[in-house]
Amino acid sequence: MELAEREKEFQEKIDKGQKIEAKEWMPENYRKQLIRMISQHAHSEIVGMLPEGNWITRAPSLRRKAVLLAKVQDEAGHGLYLYSAAETLGIDREKMIEQLITGKAKYSSIFNYPTLTWADIGAIGWLVDGAAIVNQTMLARGSYGPYSRAMVRICKEESFHNRQGYEIIYELANGTPEQKKMAQDSLNRWWGPSMQMLGPSDADSKNSAETMKWKIKVESNDTVRQRFIDRTVPQAIAAGLTIPDPDLKFNEETQHWEIGDIDWEEFYQVIKGYGPCNHKRMKARQDAEAEGAWVREAAAAHAEKKRNKKAHQAA
Ligand code: BYC
């Protein structure tokens, strides 16, 4: 079959809402776009463990510690499903990890900010996982079977993360004046990066035309961001906190919350490597890779030994 004809059939399948599975024919750029997005997503999950893991030993109670520990472990699990989903496209995990630790691959901009107080753990669960859920419930409707199915389970776990984050923030916001101040300070620092996290505005999003044509994403960055804003502003109000945006207003006609300008200059600086914690995050992943080398070598040697034994018995 001619390439053009194959592409036409592929597009028809997508337009009908059918899923594409691992072994099926797909345009090379569809494969590339998916590897780019899924591997960036996987990297975000494991880098995202770092700012939160930082607070496990300092959680204010045993309950908070157990919940945070479970959340951070969930993020590692998400990384594993996602690396596996990317592997179905013909790239192996070693290669993806190498791309991460050599700085060739991106991970979410949001994880380049520090967690300065316990309230930041609340803000991450509330805002970061909140933004992730809105984005990922959309991605669960995407065209690539292994990725969209991974999203279903991830979103269920993210919902628990989101609730635990909001609970922390809500309790602090309704606690002592010092605690309320801590919650507000945390919202002030995480709001802007949470807006940026959902990607450049539609006019500047270079991949959206292609990824939306192929239903890798079924909604644009701005659409997803607006849904996140509409869901989050009332939660801030319910907690008695103020969104740090003087231009925020509710549009009665459209029934949407409208925000002021997003600081895209900051976003591009962070994704170029100049955020407050890029260097630290990268070094943590590089060290983990180096320190885990002996485990991988031992596991590979054991597997090799088993294979040789089997081959010897079969001979
Ligand atoms: N950070 O053309 P665009 C989590 C890049 S983790 C860094 O609009 P696209 C969690 C983008 O890659 C959740 N880079 O891109 C974990 C592109 O550059 P390249 C993470 C960003 O792909 C632990 C360029 O900017 N979620 O939930 O159509 C604890 C132009 O952008 C970012 C995912 O990864 C960013 N924020 O749309 C707690 C979801 N935004 O690659 C929680 C999967 C954009 O061409 N990804 N860039 O060099 C997506 O849904 C989409 O990739 C995006 C961007 C909406 C993020």
Side-chain angles (χ1 to χ4, degrees):
M1 211 192 284
E2 292 273 320
L3 182 63
E5 210 174 312
R6 283 194 152 178
E7 283 178 350
K8 188 167 163 276
E9 262 186 19
F10 181 83
Q11 190 63 49
E12 280 166 3
K13 222 170 155 186
I14 299 271
D15 294 343
K16 278 191 219 148
Q18 291 175 6
K19 297 272 184 210
I20 307 299
E21 297 300 337
K23 298 269 166 5
E24 286 178 48
W25 184 87
M26 56 187 75
E28 205 36 45
N29 260 10
Y30 178 82
R31 183 187 306 278
K32 282 191 186 147
Q33 280 284 15
L34 276 169
I35 290 177
R36 177 188 68 82
M37 237 174 86
I38 304 174
S39 65
Q40 282 181 11
H41 193 166
H43 300 327
S44 305
E45 299 285 353
I46 61 162
V47 175
M49 295 167 73
L50 300 168
E52 293 187 289
N54 183 34
W55 277 88
I56 291 173
T57 53
R58 290 177 288 162
S61 70
L62 183 59
R63 174 174 171 265
R64 293 286 185 211
K65 182 172 177 152
V67 172
L68 181 59
L69 199 56
K71 180 188 190 300
V72 174
Q73 283 175 340
D74 283 351
E75 310 300 358
H78 298 173
L80 289 180
Y81 319 146
L82 290 163
Y83 284 123
S84 300
E87 281 183 316
T88 65
L89 292 154
I91 182 165
D92 61 35
R93 197 169 304 192
E94 287 72 23
K95 177 95 191 141
M96 288 184 270
I97 298 291
E98 185 213 292
Q99 289 172 344
L100 171 66
I101 63 176
T102 55
K104 283 188 205 130
K106 290 193 172 73
Y107 58 87
S108 185
S109 50
I110 194 88
F111 299 118
N112 291 306
Y113 293 87
T115 39
L116 302 178
T117 69
W118 173 250
D120 290 359
I121 298 303
I124 291 183
W126 174 35
L127 301 174
V128 179
D129 289 85
I133 291 173
V134 176
N135 190 37
Q136 289 164 197
T137 42
M138 174 277 285
L139 293 174
R141 291 185 278 128
S143 61
Y144 187 56
Y147 188 38
S148 65
R149 287 189 291 272
M151 286 303 108
V152 175
R153 173 152 178 196
I154 291 179
C155 285
K156 285 187 183 153
E157 292 173 350
E158 301 288 29
S159 299
F160 147 68
H161 300 168
N162 183 235
R163 292 303 304 170
Q164 69 85 37
Y166 187 63
E167 191 203 17
I168 292 174
I169 283 288
Y170 190 92
E171 274 195 19
L172 289 174
N174 290 280
T176 63
E178 287 80 5
Q179 286 173 324
K180 179 163 186 178
K181 195 161 166 266
M182 212 161 99
Q184 183 63 54
D185 167 66
S186 178
L187 173 57
N188 294 350
R189 285 181 288 108
W190 289 89
W191 177 255
S194 301
M195 292 295 103
Q196 297 159 15
M197 174 186 167
L198 292 161
S201 57
D202 293 354
D204 298 318
S205 166
K206 60 182 165 120
N207 297 292
S208 284
E210 198 166 59
T211 51
M212 289 183 74
K213 174 182 87 171
W214 284 324
K215 296 193 182 162
I216 292 174
K217 291 197 306 204
V218 298
E219 283 175 329
S220 75
N221 298 357
D222 284 338
T223 305
V224 172
R225 188 168 15 251
Q226 187 61 54
R227 187 169 305 129
F228 172 60
I229 294 165
D230 287 339
R231 170 189 143 129
T232 309
V233 174
Q235 293 171 343
I237 296 169
L241 295 172
T242 308
I243 299 282
D245 179 348
D247 296 322
L248 181 79
K249 57 178 182 300
F250 187 68
N251 183 327
E252 287 292 345
E253 214 170 288
T254 61
Q255 292 289 302
H256 289 299
W257 285 95
E258 291 172 359
I259 60 165
D261 291 342
I262 295 174
D263 189 345
W264 292 118
E265 181 54 31
E266 174 182 323
F267 169 75
Y268 286 112
Q269 284 301 316
V270 172
I271 67 172
K272 273 190 219 146
Y274 306 117
C277 297
N278 293 60
H279 180 72
K280 197 172 169 193
R281 302 291 180 244
M282 198 60 112
K283 173 133 184 12
R285 291 311 322 164
Q286 287 161 345
D287 289 351
E289 186 64 9
E291 283 160 20
W294 70 271
V295 180
R296 290 191 302 279
E297 278 161 24
H302 178 69
E304 169 91 14
K305 201 171 156 196
K306 257 178 119 177
R307 262 196 309 274
N308 287 345
K309 197 172 163 194
K310 254 195 180 158
H312 185 69
Q313 281 166 350

